[in-house]
Structures are given as structure tokens and as C-alpha cells.
Amino acid sequence: MSRFSVKENRANRLEEALLEQIEQTAAERDELTAGEIESLDPEEFETVPYSAEGAERIGYSNYSYWRSTLRMFLKNRLAVAMLIVIVLLMGFAIVQAYLPGQGTRGLTEGILPAQGPQNAIRIYNWPDGTKDAGLPMKNQRPSGAFWFGTNAIGQDLWSMIWSGTRTSLIIGFAVALIEAVVGTFTGLLWGYIRKLDFFFTELYNVLNNIPTTIVLILCTYVMRASIPTLILAMSLTGWMGLARFIRNQVLMIRDRDFNLASRCLGTPTDRIIVKNLIPQMVSVIMLRMALAVPGAIGWEVFLSYIGLGLSVDTPSLGNLVNTGRAMISAPRLRYQLIFPAVILSVITICFYLVGNAFADAADPRNHL
Amino acid sequence: MITMFLVLSIVFMLMRLLPTDTYFGGRSDSMSDTVKENILKQLGLFDPWYVQLGNFWKKLLLHGDLGESIVIQQGAKCVDLIIPKAKWSFQFGAIAMIFQMLIGYSMGVMMARWKGRFFDSLGNLYILLINALPAAVYFLFIQIYVSKALGLPMLFERYNPVSRILPILCLSLGGIASNAMWMRRYMVDQMNLDYIRLARAKGMTSSQVAFRHVMRNAFIPMAQSLPTTLLFTISGSLYVESLFSIPGMGGLLITSIQRQDNTMVQAMVLLYSAISVIGLLLGDIMMMICDPRISLTKKGGSR
């Protein structure tokens, strides 16, 4: 900004000339001539009478949190694709058991066309007229009749895998739901009621010190694994992280001015919590839920692996992978490991990506 | 210390919920009821719970005794069974830990330096895969396909050093991913702060800034988790050890679960809980050493 800069002086002079010109043209064009007014189409205009209501209307930005979140999410093509994959997989896993001819495809003689979820664990025998009639069809490689082959005792891997997907997803969603509900509820209590703060903090310190692995091992060892016990064991520790986050958020938000005003105006506490506090944390709660699903599935695999998982009567992705693991020394039979492992990986990766993309989209700092 | 006491007591009490049948080591059919009762009485399982808890603490504190194994090696002290196994776990864990730190940290630093470039996205892909896939799945695939591709043995053999490569690789994969991820995130966070801009304005080169300022500050939050990771890596991975049949502690825990050796499971579980509590404590101390602004004694103004 030097007064002696030749360059700047010249630029200033040019600028002034330009500004003058623009101002002149603007002054000239300020009014329409009578002729121009005549030539306008009167139908394009309407006369508006004075309205008191309209004068009171306040201008506001039409920013909507959820719409922006959705828009940001839709921008992430990969995540949208993954979401579609998840929806398709889940839809198919639910529908599959009720489709006609599951487990019998093309192989009708000797086998009743059984349907329904029970179908998954049925053992198929060779039909009459073959050389092994009556014996189980063990270790059949993938074919037209058994799309994913059969396992070591002659069960159809295709039905097993979809049934297992159902089990794993049920566990995953139940854990996610319990985690969200319990975590939010305790978090709100913890943050909102000051007398409980000490109690919950100490509880958190003690419980958080026990590693999740150990809790899971202990619970399933003590209670014997079944779907409800697995869900219980996994939700036993899962809620703590969320509760702590919500507690911190509540502490930050509860005494802000808008809450104070709300309380002064006589809003009951439950309404303050539901309307003022929870909306601020929805994105994180959703993220935790999305990540809890693959987490729960992963833990289920882990428990099956160390021998504490579901019994083989209840197919789950965990015990399918685990039975498939026994086949690694026979390259011919590796399909029994690969199919469940691939489905498992697709599900976990999709949930992980979608959850993260959603968390990014739900962060207001990314809304532009 | 109080936390540790509480945690161990809770774990001990949970173990008491077990059905008593499992204490006979799979021979419960062939025993008469009086024999069973004798065994249970010997183990002190008929005492009220506070007596049991008291006895447990007395034994542990005075004799360092965690009870006797039932199935795996009848009558042997659990501690004696664990110690030789711990040697193997320690060996593998220590090597894996070194790899995790060397590769993980340098990967994180490089990813932060070239943020948004090819190397960064490659690293992010790796981190994503490791985090999203259940460990069991990729361990299995490494065991099957990488062993074949590189011509390495699938299982661990005691006198064959080449057979140690794959287990160590598996052990370090997860740690590398998490080290790199956190290092990158903290470094990126730090880089946007004002003092870094000042340092750059002063005329320091970007690598000087990265190593002298960014890394030192980024390391503080990581220091807290360091002892826990160290202890857990050393105490053996449940997966890797049983997958490659390494005679370590993680494998021992799985064996004792599968063969329902109650006292053994109890001893191992208590040990692991203790390790985690100690790790957290050490983590706090470590953080205090790294960052003079944090002190353990000061009561934070809560709100």
C-alpha cells in the first residue's frame, strides 16, 4: 500500500475511471422510460394489497440439519453404494427362507421341498437310485443343486449362510439398539442429575477397566452361549462409551443460555431433554449404532473361534467361518470357508463405511 | 489399587456363578454324589461368598497362589503352568511391538505429511480393511494364502525360525493400523494450529516442524495407550497363538476354555484383568512424563 508504488498508482487511476463509467451507466438506466413500461406484459405482474401478516414475516435461512446431512451423505457415492448393498443383503436374508424351493433347487426326488428357517440345518441324503442312496451328501462342491456346496455332514451351505447372516444381523442390531437406548438413558441420568455423577463415574472407572474380551469370555463361559446370552454379554460393556460421551455433552449443553431460558419459561425437564438435548447428539448415537453392528458380528466370530460361540444348530456367520476353518488343509473344500468369510467381510465393511460416511455427513462443520 | 481390588473381586464373583458340574473335569457321570460333594468342599465352594472371597485374596496376596488346574494338568499350580507359556508370548509380543511402533508411527507421519496424496489413500485403505474386517477372517486368509505364496510354513515350529514370520506379521498388522491412524489424525489436527504456523513463519523447514513440534505433541495422547498395548501384546494374542499353535498364554486360555478347566480360566482371566488395570495406570503415568502440563494429583475443576 505504498504511496510511491508506480504500479499501484496506475491501478488506482484505472480503477477510478472504471468506477466512474459504471456509475454513469447505472444512473442512466435507473428508470424505465414510459415506452418501456407500455411494452411490458401486464399479465406478468400481480398487484399485492397490504397484508399485516406478510409484514410480520421474518426472513430465515432454510438450513435444515437433516436435509444437509442427507445431501452430504448422498454426495459420497461409495457410501451410498454400500448402503444399497446392505439393504439388498438384509432384504434377501429376510426373504430367502420364504422363497420357494430353497435347498432343493433342481434336485427334487427324495427331498421334500421344505421351506422356512428350519430348512437351514436339514441334512440332505442321496436320492434313491444313486449308488450312495440314503447316505448324507457330504462335501459336495458348489453345483446347480447346491449353489454354495454342502458341508461335512451334508447340509446346504447356501441356506446355512443366509440363516447365519440372519442370526448375526439379529445379534448385531439387538446389541446396537440396546447399546443406544441404555447408553443414551444412563448418559442423560449421569449428566443431568448431579448427585448421581459420583456414582456413575466410579462405576465407569471400575467397569471400563475390565477388558471387553474378558467380559465376553466370562459371560459366555458362565451362561453358555445362545442368542440372548450373546446379546446380553455384548451389550454389558458396549453402552459405557456412549454413556460417557452423552454425559460430557449434557454437561456442556445443559447450562447454556437457551436451556436456561427454556427452564425459566417452565418447560418440564423431560421435554428439555427430548427437545433440547437429544437432537444435539443424534449423529453420534447413530454412528455408534452403525459401528456396533459389525463390532458385534466380529465379537461373535471371535467367541465362536475360541469355542464359546453358538452351537452348530443355530447357524451364524461365526460358527460357519469356524467350521470352514477346519477345511483349510484340504484346498478342494476351502469353499466352505471362503463363502461365509466373503459374506461376513462384505457386511462388516459396508457397515463400517456407511457409519463413517454418515458421521462425516452428520457433522455440521462439513455442511456448506 | 482400589480399582484393581474391585475389578478382580467382581471377576472372581462372576466365576462363582458357574454351575458346579464343570468342576469335575468331564468325569461327572462316573462320580458318586458323595465324591462330588467332597471335591466341592475341598475347593471351598460351599462356604458363603465372603469367606470364599477372603480366602482367595489371602492366598493370592500371601502366597501368590491362583489355585490348581483341574483338567489340563491335574493338581499343578496354575501359576507354574502359565510362566513357561509366558516366555513364548513375551518373545513374540516384544518383536511384534517393535514392528508395530516402527512401521505404524512412520506410516502415520508419512501419511500426514503427504495428506491427500496417493500414499495417504493407500494407507487409509489399509487401515479401513484392518478395522472393518474381523481379525479372524484376515488371519485365516494370511495363514492360507500368504503362507502358500511365500512358501512359509503354516504352523509354528519350535526350531524353525522361518515359521515365526507369519505369526509376527499377523500380530503386528492390527497395531500398525491403529498406530498409523492415530498418529496421522493427531498430526493433522496439530498442523492446523497457530503455533505451527508461527514456526513455519519463523522460517523452520517443514520437516523440522514435523519432527520437533508436531510429532512431540501428537505423541502425548498416544503415550497413554502405549503401556496397555505393550502389556497386551506381550501377554499374547488369543487368535494368533492358537491359530499358529504357538505355546503361549493366549493359546492356553483358549485351551482351558475349550476343555472347561474352571480354575485355569479363572486364573487367566484374573491375570488379564490385572494386566489391563496396570496398563491403564502406567498409561496415565506415561502421559504425565510426556506432558508436563498434566499432573495426576491435581483435582480438575469438574464443571
Side-chain angles (χ1 to χ4, degrees):
Chain A
M1 281 293 192
S2 155
R3 265 189 303 154
F4 307 105
S5 156
V6 179
K7 222 178 178 179
E8 242 169 67
N9 280 340
R10 184 177 295 168
N12 279 346
R13 230 175 297 149
L14 282 173
E15 198 183 316
E16 272 163 30
L18 263 176
L19 277 176
E20 223 166 84
Q21 219 174 349
I22 290 168
E23 267 167 30
Q24 265 179 10
T25 39
E28 275 168 20
R29 300 284 305 163
D30 203 31
E31 292 272 312
L32 293 174
T33 59
E36 276 174 325
I37 290 175
E38 281 291 297
S39 64
L40 285 174
D41 188 0
E43 281 189 8
E44 285 183 23
F45 298 90
E46 53 177 319
T47 41
V48 183
Y50 172 76
S51 100
E53 215 178 292
E56 290 289 315
R57 186 171 295 149
I58 304 165
Y60 63 96
S61 113
N62 62 346
Y63 171 83
S64 144
Y65 175 74
W66 286 110
R67 206 179 306 145
S68 306
T69 306
L70 188 68
R71 209 190 51 220
M72 288 305 292
F73 185 79
L74 289 180
K75 260 189 200 166
N76 192 341
R77 293 278 165 75
L78 184 66
V80 175
M82 292 292 179
L83 187 66
I84 293 171
V85 172
I86 290 182
V87 171
L88 287 181
L89 263 177
M90 271 166 43
F92 190 72
I94 294 167
V95 168
Q96 184 267 343
Y98 302 100
L99 292 178
Q102 284 303 307
T104 56
R105 280 169 311 278
L107 195 98
T108 38
E109 63 268 67
I111 298 165
L112 290 170
Q115 280 171 32
Q118 278 306 314
N119 195 25
I121 53 170
R122 96 185 242 111
I123 295 172
Y124 292 92
N125 294 328
W126 284 105
D128 293 336
T130 49
K131 82 177 186 320
D132 297 318
L135 291 177
M137 307 171 80
K138 284 188 262 179
N139 292 333
Q140 293 293 303
R141 284 175 63 77
S143 63
F146 297 106
W147 287 355
F148 284 179
T150 61
N151 69 3
I153 55 170
Q155 293 167 323
D156 176 23
L157 210 55
W158 166 266
S159 314
M160 292 277 278
I161 284 179
W162 289 110
S163 171
T165 311
R166 272 194 296 277
T167 320
S168 293
L169 283 177
I170 287 173
I171 294 176
F173 275 102
V175 171
L177 198 68
I178 293 177
E179 201 181 307
V181 171
V182 177
T184 315
F185 187 70
T186 20
L188 287 171
L189 280 184
W190 185 357
Y192 213 87
I193 304 174
R194 291 185 181 197
K195 279 178 193 159
L196 286 179
D197 187 46
F198 177 76
F199 167 74
F200 273 118
T201 311
E202 289 306 310
L203 185 74
Y204 176 84
N205 283 342
V206 171
L207 288 185
N208 203 39
N209 271 327
I210 311 177
T212 318
T213 328
I214 296 301
V215 175
L216 283 179
I217 289 177
L218 259 182
C219 287
T220 39
Y221 192 66
V222 171
M223 296 188 296
R224 303 288 159 232
S226 67
I227 296 182
T229 50
L230 277 186
I231 293 175
L232 177 70
M234 286 180 205
S235 18
L236 215 55
T237 50
W239 58 271
M240 284 191 298
L242 184 60
R244 200 174 110 100
F245 172 81
I246 288 191
R247 177 249 184 189
N248 290 342
Q249 286 289 306
V250 170
L251 284 185
M252 278 198 291
I253 303 170
R254 57 166 284 167
D255 289 333
R256 291 246 180 101
D257 288 346
F258 70 95
N259 267 328
L260 221 58
S262 204
R263 215 175 308 150
C264 290
L265 289 170
T267 322
T269 311
D270 54 342
R271 198 179 151 78
I272 290 187
I273 288 175
V274 174
K275 290 275 171 184
N276 296 1
L277 296 183
I278 288 190
Q280 313 244 6
M281 310 159 198
V282 159
S283 65
V284 174
I285 297 175
M286 296 287 282
L287 172 70
R288 301 279 309 206
M289 279 181 76
L291 294 188
V293 176
I297 294 176
W299 282 120
E300 199 263 325
V301 176
F302 170 74
L303 286 175
S304 302
Y305 176 75
I306 62 175
L308 290 173
L310 295 167
S311 70
V312 277
D313 302 340
T314 329
S316 73
L317 288 177
N319 58 31
L320 285 175
V321 168
N322 201 31
T323 22
R325 194 171 62 89
M327 306 295 159
I328 56 171
S329 46
R332 234 190 97 254
L333 300 178
R334 275 190 196 151
Y335 65 90
Q336 293 185 18
L337 169 66
I338 290 172
F339 284 125
V342 165
I343 299 273
L344 181 72
S345 316
V346 168
I347 292 177
T348 47
I349 291 184
C350 285
F351 269 101
Y352 188 85
L353 273 178
V354 169
N356 273 319
F358 183 81
D360 282 350
D363 187 350
R365 278 177 295 181
N366 293 336
H367 292 180
L368 275 177
Chain B
M1 258 357 258
I2 295 169
T3 326
M4 179 126 166
F5 176 77
L6 279 177
V7 168
L8 293 191
S9 300
I10 290 174
V11 170
F12 182 77
M13 291 317 290
L14 273 175
M15 290 301 292
R16 292 282 79 75
L17 294 175
L18 272 176
T20 47
D21 267 0
T22 47
Y23 278 97
F24 310 119
R27 284 165 295 147
S28 68
D29 301 332
S30 57
M31 285 181 189
S32 66
D33 284 351
T34 37
V35 176
K36 283 184 186 175
E37 238 165 66
N38 268 336
I39 293 180
L40 290 182
K41 202 170 269 173
Q42 240 175 11
L43 288 166
L45 289 174
F46 287 126
D47 298 338
W49 64 270
Y50 48 87
V51 178
Q52 288 189 32
L53 195 63
N55 280 339
F56 161 70
W57 276 106
K58 203 169 72 189
K59 264 195 201 166
L60 183 61
L61 291 181
L62 296 182
H63 312 292
D65 186 5
L66 281 169
E68 291 170 357
S69 161
I70 299 176
V71 185
I72 291 187
Q73 202 174 320
Q74 208 177 356
K77 289 254 183 287
C78 289
V79 183
D80 296 339
L81 282 179
I82 293 172
I83 288 174
K85 304 269 184 187
K87 210 178 65 188
W88 285 105
S89 291
F90 182 80
Q91 209 180 50
F92 275 97
I95 300 173
M97 188 79 193
I98 293 171
F99 275 113
Q100 280 175 15
M101 283 168 59
L102 281 182
I103 302 177
Y105 289 151
S106 47
M107 198 168 131
V109 172
M110 281 197 283
M111 279 165 71
R113 282 286 309 272
W114 290 290
K115 184 166 168 272
R117 305 271 191 80
F118 175 71
F119 185 77
D120 187 30
S121 20
L122 196 71
N124 277 330
L125 181 71
Y126 166 73
I127 292 172
L128 168 87
L129 282 181
I130 296 287
N131 278 332
L133 283 177
V137 174
Y138 62 80
F139 286 166
L140 276 174
F141 278 81
I142 286 178
Q143 197 185 16
I144 298 174
Y145 292 107
V146 177
S147 67
K148 193 187 255 175
L150 301 180
L152 296 170
M154 262 195 195
L155 295 176
F156 170 71
E157 295 149 29
R158 192 168 286 207
Y159 298 107
N160 184 359
V162 184
S163 69
R164 297 185 189 186
I165 295 178
L166 279 186
I168 289 176
L169 176 74
C170 284
L171 273 175
S172 8
L173 276 181
I176 291 177
S178 69
N179 277 348
M181 182 176 79
W182 289 111
M183 196 64 180
R184 175 181 179 276
R185 189 171 298 174
Y186 289 133
M187 278 191 70
V188 169
D189 281 354
Q190 291 281 330
M191 272 178 184
N192 295 329
L193 293 181
D194 283 344
Y195 80 99
I196 296 296
R197 225 173 289 158
L198 175 72
R200 292 283 294 139
K202 266 194 320 199
M204 289 174 82
T205 62
S206 57
S207 64
Q208 265 178 325
V209 175
F211 286 101
R212 250 187 242 170
H213 292 290
V214 184
M215 234 176 81
R216 270 171 73 179
N217 276 303
F219 193 73
I220 294 169
M222 310 208 37
Q224 194 184 14
S225 63
L226 202 62
T228 317
T229 351
L230 181 74
L231 284 174
F232 269 104
T233 328
I234 284 175
S235 61
S237 150
L238 299 180
Y239 270 134
V240 176
E241 288 192 354
S242 62
L243 206 58
F244 291 96
S245 60
I246 299 168
M249 278 162 69
L252 184 65
L253 175 57
I254 291 183
T255 326
S256 34
I257 286 171
Q258 279 163 354
R259 296 177 56 185
Q260 304 216 329
D261 189 339
N262 276 4
T263 41
M264 202 62 203
V265 173
Q266 176 181 314
M268 299 289 295
V269 164
L270 288 172
L271 193 69
Y272 273 91
S273 320
I275 285 174
S276 115
V277 177
I278 294 172
L280 283 175
L281 185 69
L282 284 181
D284 286 346
I285 295 173
M286 184 95 176
M287 200 149 113
M288 199 184 66
I289 296 171
C290 286
D291 188 353
R293 286 168 298 187
I294 298 170
S295 74
L296 287 180
T297 44
K298 196 182 89 189
K299 282 269 178 255
S302 53
R303 322 165 219 167

